[in-house]
Amino acid sequence: MRVEVNGRSHEEEPRPGQCLRTYLRERGWFGVKKGCDAGDCGACTVHVDGAPVHSCLYPAFRADGRTVTTVEGLAAPDGELHPVQRKFLDAQGFQCGFCTAGFLMTTAALDEDQLADLPRAFKGNLCRCTGYRAIEDAVRGVSHVEAPCAGESVGRNLPAPAGPQVVTGSARYTFDVDVPGLLHMKLLRSPHAHARITAIDTTAALRVPGVQAVFTHLDAPERHFSTARHEHPEEDPDDTRVLDDTVRYVGQRVAAVVADSEAAAEEGCRRVEVTYQVLPAVLDPEEAMRPGSPVVHDKDPAVARISRPHDNVVGEAHGEIGDVEAGFAEADAVYEGTYRTQRVQHASLETHGAVAWFDEDDRLTVRTSSQTPFLTRRALCALYDLPEEKVRVVAGRVGGGFGGKQEMLVEDVVALAVLRLRRPVKLEYTRAEQFYGATTRHPFTIRVKAGARRDGTLTALRFRVVSNTGAYGNHGPAVMFHSVGESMAVYRAPHKKVDAYSVYTHTVPAGAFRGYGLGQVMFAVESALDELARQLGLDPLEFKARNVIGPGESMVTPGGEEEDLHIASYGLDQCVSIVRRAQSEPAEPAPEGWLVGEGSALAMIATGPPGGHIADARAALLPDGTFDLAVGTAEFGNGTTTVHRQIAAGELATTVDRITVRQSDTDVVRHDTGAFASTGTVVAGKATLRASRALADQLLDFAAAHLRAPRADCRLAEEAVLHPGGRLPLKELYAAGRTVGMGFAADGHFGGTPRSVAFNAQWFRVAVDPDTGEIRILRSVHAADAGKVMNPMQCRGQVEGGVAQALGATLFENVRIDGRGEVETAAFRRYRLPQYADVPRTEVHFMETADAIGPLGAKSMSESPFNPVAPAFANALRDATGVRFTELPLTRDRVWLALTDRSSARPRVSPGSR
């Protein structure tokens, strides 16, 4: 076989059945990404003789005699970017960037007719991060990037540092490395929801040519741990083993086969013989709490930190302020309803995976797709009794996270293999494994009761919340506690009560997901208050605005007041004003005969987790007069790298292009809790601010002494220190420091407390076809109180991406589980993700606030846009149809059935609530 790839000839024969994607990647063309291996996502798009193809479906042998172009070959030989690459760079048409090569290759092949119909043209490409607006702007040639300006970086639309690498395919994600002698791991998984392994025979597997080892529970540490990563491990139950002799869900790993190739490892998995004693299973959380139900974890509650193991309750919260029954008695109207939310997959295009080896210093080095490299190192050291200095964990550029990579799902078993074999080992999840072997959003059932006086004053709120954490409790208690926090605290009521339970079942585990439980409960609360307002004959937005917490007020839930949580800036009133203005503006036309309605919802979220979230940063002057910034937090499209450079550039009076960022590596700083809980800007950014300020002071102090000039007369400029006698270039300052044995570096630290809150509001106008149940979004408006917006272009992208992801969860995303506990939707084509054609342009408005706690007045805005979307949409649907839908997703068939019921004079209930 002979194929020309980006001007280079390759003559190696492909393996039998090999696809073009793996053929190209094995030859170093890492810009070709693996997203699905089924032709569903487009991340692997390349050109074959000028025509775009999904290389995961294209047999490698068919490329014989053809010319293949990957994203690396799109630019001119002299390095001049292709016009499409330049457009994506100017518009910043990406976030994590994992899908970007596919979009670039698709766009570069579009003709004029196809460019005029982008919904059809992009049918084969998925993006989980951007919400697609930035991609459309890139295709249309809209530029958003501003030029850098010394000392004036914060608040400007400055580009992501890795942008040139993303659009040229040279950005390195987890597996975009060539590791000599690499072995491949595949996992044998359980076919049963609950079973005990009574025997396991690996003899036949070890006879497969190329198989090097098979690991089972007999090889795994006896220790229990949690896959969840938190600064304080005691937040999560210790209920998991690396490999266990009891399996608790369909898809749990049973054995790990390590071989010279993935094919050999897969064949080895097929040859492992396992004898199971099948045990009774429970799939429903309400049933799981009933006496006599199968026990998921029969463990000592004090040791494992499980609330009530024999009732399958991993965590629970109970509390009451005032007397809710008296509050309901005082009310002129009371509404009570039960709401249900479903499992949702994170669907980050880069799947979970890790590759590990021993480096030249005999350190275990783990390269992983993780939001928490430092916490993962800590967990590996505890699990295998290793000193921290003998373990290094590093994350490359991460291809999406959304909370799903705040887990240790692969690193533990890869480390086991490397420690035993002393050879490099790789484990990369397939797309199917992401569905049945990773985690999902927690499904919730929420019973809400709310009462109010005739004048619209709330008298009482009561929640009963049941969260299905699945077979393991990773994040279960924390998600449950958080879900009833800000969702209840945002509204004033003298009487409040909550009973909340996080419950084990024999199903795929749930975990951290954008919003961390708030979105599920807010769907119920905001829907219930909308219904209560209608009972009172009040405008729902006015009713809510009358009862929301105000500036300076304490945030109180039945769990008590969190002393470190404050309203350090208040923009909720401005958010409400934005929605009011949208309501008053002329309505968009809807098709004749369609039902039209509008709805809104409010949300509040803390700008970080309780109990502290630690970040360290280090800023240093380099010999050439530029700067090095080391931060621990990971980059996965959250934009923290851009913001950290902007913060540092502002403090050091330089331009962002003169600052190099090193990150996501346990070698670069002392500690970083991780990029989760909306902390990338407000916690790690504050550490960067403090390090940069300390370095600026250090430089000016030395310059003043060196120049014998008053300190007050010296100031930093782009490449020098300015003083009354002229300017001292920074590289000369560095050299002067070296002559006296002094380097210039400073550390910054922030512990994540005190914390502030951010506010959001979402408004929709929708049209519904009563004959088919089809819903069209006529207008989408989002108001975001992000404090001082560090990078408006980037922050807008975070909001749009959050709204788009939430719309997917609202309208069609659903991880379905059958009666055996098996995931039925283990592929993108069976699990409906939002495509370009599904997502409307959302009008994003930022409030004018400056936070007293966040760095330079900033607040978090990565999770919070997700939370008000589902209730706002459900309220708009209620306004249009007269039907209160109480179960997500709001699929077309559910809407049609409810409208059919209504037209037949049946009770107006959601199909899911019967």
Side-chain angles (χ1 to χ4, degrees), residues 365-441:
T365 301
V366 182
R367 182 179 173 92
T368 175
S369 180
S370 174
Q371 297 173 226
T372 60
F374 288 81
L375 300 186
T376 298
R377 178 181 65 174
R378 178 194 288 172
L380 291 175
C381 291
L383 191 57
Y384 294 111
D385 293 319
L386 299 170
E388 285 198 353
E389 64 271 14
K390 297 298 289 183
V391 179
R392 178 188 181 195
V393 177
V394 58
R397 190 172 177 89
V398 179
F402 318 112
K405 294 173 181 174
Q406 191 193 340
E407 304 272 358
M408 187 173 71
L409 298 180
V410 294
E411 299 90 342
D412 57 329
V413 71
V414 171
L416 171 67
V418 175
L419 289 167
R420 295 291 183 89
L421 299 174
R422 306 291 296 185
R423 289 186 61 184
V425 176
K426 168 190 172 183
L427 171 60
E428 182 178 14
Y429 273 14
T430 64
R431 180 54 56 187
E433 284 180 299
Q434 284 293 113
F435 281 97
Y436 55 67
T439 61
T440 73
R441 191 185 191 212

Side-chain angles (χ1 to χ4, degrees), residues 52 54 103 106-107 110-111 113-126 132 140 835-838:
H54 287 179
F103 273 99
T106 299
T107 304
L110 298 179
D111 59 28
D113 290 340
Q114 291 169 320
L115 285 168
D117 188 5
L118 290 182
R120 181 174 294 276
F122 286 146
K123 226 178 155 183
N125 292 83
L126 292 173
Y132 297 103
R140 302 300 185 205
Q835 295 178 298
Y836 179 97
D838 296 316

Side-chain angles (χ1 to χ4, degrees), residues 343 812 814-818 822-826 830-831:
R343 289 178 180 84
F812 31 72
N814 188 8
V815 178
R816 295 194 302 273
I817 293 180
D818 67 15
E822 184 173 1
V823 173
E824 296 181 311
T825 49
R830 301 192 69 188
Y831 178 83

Side-chain angles (χ1 to χ4, degrees), residues 830-912:
R830 301 192 69 188
Y831 178 83
R832 177 91 152 76
L833 281 178
Q835 295 178 298
Y836 179 97
D838 296 316
V839 181
R841 279 206 169 212
T842 292
E843 304 165 31
V844 178
H845 302 267
F846 293 118
M847 307 304 100
E848 295 183 2
T849 61
D851 200 69
I853 293 174
L856 305 175
K859 295 200 277 194
S860 60
M861 200 44 56
S862 55
E863 294 183 88
S864 56
F866 190 103
N867 295 330
V869 170
F873 196 95
N875 289 338
L877 195 57
R878 163 68 167 86
D879 191 50
T881 64
V883 179
R884 171 54 65 187
F885 290 86
T886 60
E887 183 172 358
L888 297 179
L890 303 173
T891 54
R892 182 171 172 173
D893 58 334
R894 279 182 174 166
V895 173
W896 180 80
L897 284 169
L899 294 179
T900 302
D901 284 353
R902 186 186 67 167
S903 65
S904 302
R906 295 174 184 170
R908 294 183 182 179
V909 294
S910 161

Side-chain angles (χ1 to χ4, degrees), residues 156-376:
R156 305 182 69 227
N157 294 329
L158 299 183
Q165 290 75 43
V166 168
V167 302
T168 58
S170 59
R172 290 292 175 252
Y173 295 81
T174 306
F175 296 114
D176 297 341
V177 291
D178 184 14
V179 181
L182 185 64
L183 298 176
H184 300 268
M185 177 183 285
K186 287 293 181 178
L187 299 173
L188 175 67
R189 295 181 178 275
S190 169
H192 304 294
H194 192 199
R196 185 173 294 110
I197 297 171
T198 58
I200 187 163
D201 188 348
T202 64
T203 307
L206 288 167
R207 290 198 191 107
V208 174
V211 169
Q212 299 294 323
V214 181
F215 299 101
T216 72
H217 66 273
L218 299 174
D219 305 292
E222 292 288 341
R223 287 192 179 99
H224 287 82
F225 63 97
S226 173
T227 65
R229 300 291 95 225
H230 283 114
E231 180 61 36
H232 306 290
E234 62 273 12
E235 293 181 24
D236 305 290
D238 286 340
D239 57 10
T240 304
R241 283 185 66 195
V242 175
L243 294 164
D244 206 333
D245 59 352
T246 299
V247 291
R248 296 177 174 86
Y249 67 97
V250 177
Q252 180 169 330
R253 59 197 191 193
V254 171
V257 178
V258 181
D260 296 339
S261 67
E262 289 190 1
E266 288 173 351
E267 181 60 26
C269 286
R270 286 189 282 271
R271 300 286 184 91
V272 176
E273 298 176 8
V274 185
T275 304
Y276 295 98
Q277 177 191 354
V278 179
L279 303 171
V282 60
L283 308 181
D284 178 78
E286 293 285 0
E287 182 183 342
M289 288 192 287
R290 294 187 186 121
S293 289
V295 175
V296 180
H297 288 278
D298 187 7
K299 293 179 172 65
D300 183 340
V303 175
R305 296 189 299 278
I306 299 171
S307 179
R308 286 185 282 133
H310 290 90
D311 296 321
N312 292 316
V313 175
V314 60
E316 56 192 317
H318 306 281
E320 184 171 9
I321 294 172
D323 182 341
V324 290
E325 293 306 323
F328 291 129
E330 296 170 11
D332 295 306
V334 175
Y335 171 80
E336 189 169 10
T338 300
Y339 295 81
R340 295 179 176 87
T341 66
Q342 80 284 26
R343 289 178 180 84
V344 176
Q345 233 293 317
H346 304 82
S348 50
L349 287 194
E350 181 193 40
T351 60
H352 281 82
V355 55
W357 63 90
F358 279 98
D359 66 13
E360 60 276 10
D361 296 321
D362 201 38
R363 287 195 307 170
L364 175 65
T365 301
V366 182
R367 182 179 173 92
T368 175
S369 180
S370 174
Q371 297 173 226
T372 60
F374 288 81
L375 300 186
T376 298

